[in-house]
Amino acid sequence: MPVTDERCTPASTADEPTRPIPRALIDALDRAGEDQAALSVWTTAQVSPASQRRGKYMPESTAHPAKMLPDVARHAIEHYTKPGELVLDPMCGIGTTLVEAVHLDRRAIGIEYEPHWVAVARSNLELARTQGIEHDAHVIQGDARQLVTLLPQEYVGQAALVVTSPPYGPSTHGRVAVAPSEGIQKYWHRYGSALDRGNLANIGHHRLLAGFTRILAGLRTFLRPGGHVVITIRPWREHSELIDLPAQILACGRAAGLIPTERNVALLARAAETDLVARGSFFQRDFIRKQREAGLPLHLIAHEDVVVFRTAQHGTAATSAAQVTTRRPPRHHSRTTGRAA
């Protein structure tokens, strides 16, 4: 079921900050049976992102180009795990999944490719320790495509939950600064160096899907029987065409041998009594205004898709990536009728 295009809130102005919640967002629950998968709406932006991170994350965390909302990770951890269980994030960035896990009395392990974000994630975990949160949490630097060799054997078959998100490539927004005579400048809007081909964000869409499929297959080694994988995803635009990444990630999970169980909506806008109040970034709003001036009726993204998989209830975990058979990842698919940006 394509859940992307209609569940969005138009760009707002100071005089008109909200719009009615689209009927499609409400009707999606009734149509969930068409996909034979559960569907629910997570109200994960009732508090602003800055307020969600306040006191739990070091200031340098704000520079990451594509941070997961803490309340999204927190909701998943509370819903799919119990205190003391292990939560894993193979692409942990600033460590949002890990930080939320330890604050909920779970154990946590993460992998991050870029050394800078490894250091930030470790600092965030150390901040939790200084606040009296005794935890078993670690961050390992490395390529998540090699996680079977990166993670210690003690974690095989132990993870109750994986929470992660693929890199979004050109759709990240970064931060802004205004320089005299130079106008608005953009920075911290890329994943490391654009020349680093080891980074999934820099290798092209087809290879990103293949790499992410490999990561999902490797996760089966460390998930316990019946363990869950929660992936937050949003579409992006490339050359004005909407790439339906959520549907592609669903195909990747199936190819990796995981069982799809849910396709949910995590709101990026505050749900008021009758309205959605969008929390779009400067670049999102600027992009929307320019596209509308050019005649394209685009809208702010008001949600992320949350795709949930699980492993089989019985059976043993694979012991190496070579033992996991995967099919070819889905081919690139674009469409031009979307309403997200």
Side-chain angles (χ1 to χ4, degrees), residues 9 41-53 67-75 234 265-272 275-280 301-304 306:
T9 293
V41 176
W42 299 3
T43 53
T44 45
Q46 296 304 92
V47 177
S48 70
S51 296
Q52 291 184 30
R53 297 188 182 97
K67 301 175 290 298
M68 183 182 296
L69 269 183
D71 278 3
V72 172
R74 189 175 188 89
H75 180 96
R234 69 179 71 172
V265 169
L267 292 182
L268 303 176
R270 181 172 64 85
D275 305 306
L276 287 179
V277 183
R279 299 188 186 277
I301 287 179
H303 80 279
E304 286 189 323
V306 183

Side-chain angles (χ1 to χ4, degrees), residues 34-160:
E34 297 174 8
D35 274 352
Q36 297 181 341
L39 188 150
S40 64
V41 176
W42 299 3
T43 53
T44 45
Q46 296 304 92
V47 177
S48 70
S51 296
Q52 291 184 30
R53 297 188 182 97
R54 187 171 296 123
K56 292 196 293 185
Y57 296 85
M58 300 295 287
E60 54 266 33
S61 300
T62 61
H64 194 279
K67 301 175 290 298
M68 183 182 296
L69 269 183
D71 278 3
V72 172
R74 189 175 188 89
H75 180 96
I77 293 164
E78 289 180 321
H79 188 73
Y80 298 104
T81 68
K82 299 177 182 178
E85 292 184 331
L86 178 65
V87 179
L88 166 62
D89 187 343
M91 307 175 78
C92 70
I94 64 170
T96 300
T97 297
L98 315 186
V99 170
E100 298 306 313
V102 300
H103 276 274
L104 291 170
D105 196 26
R106 275 68 166 175
R107 297 178 293 133
I109 181 74
I111 296 173
E112 170 54 36
Y113 180 78
E114 294 190 34
H116 175 75
W117 303 122
V118 170
V120 172
R122 289 173 176 168
S123 295
N124 286 331
L125 288 173
E126 184 56 32
L127 176 61
R129 194 178 297 279
T130 65
Q131 296 170 340
I133 306 295
E134 294 296 330
H135 58 71
D136 177 8
H138 308 280
V139 182
I140 297 173
Q141 181 184 343
D143 186 338
R145 289 169 290 187
Q146 310 297 329
L147 66 87
V148 172
T149 57
L150 284 173
L151 291 181
Q153 289 296 300
E154 66 189 85
Y155 292 108
V156 170
Q158 296 301 305

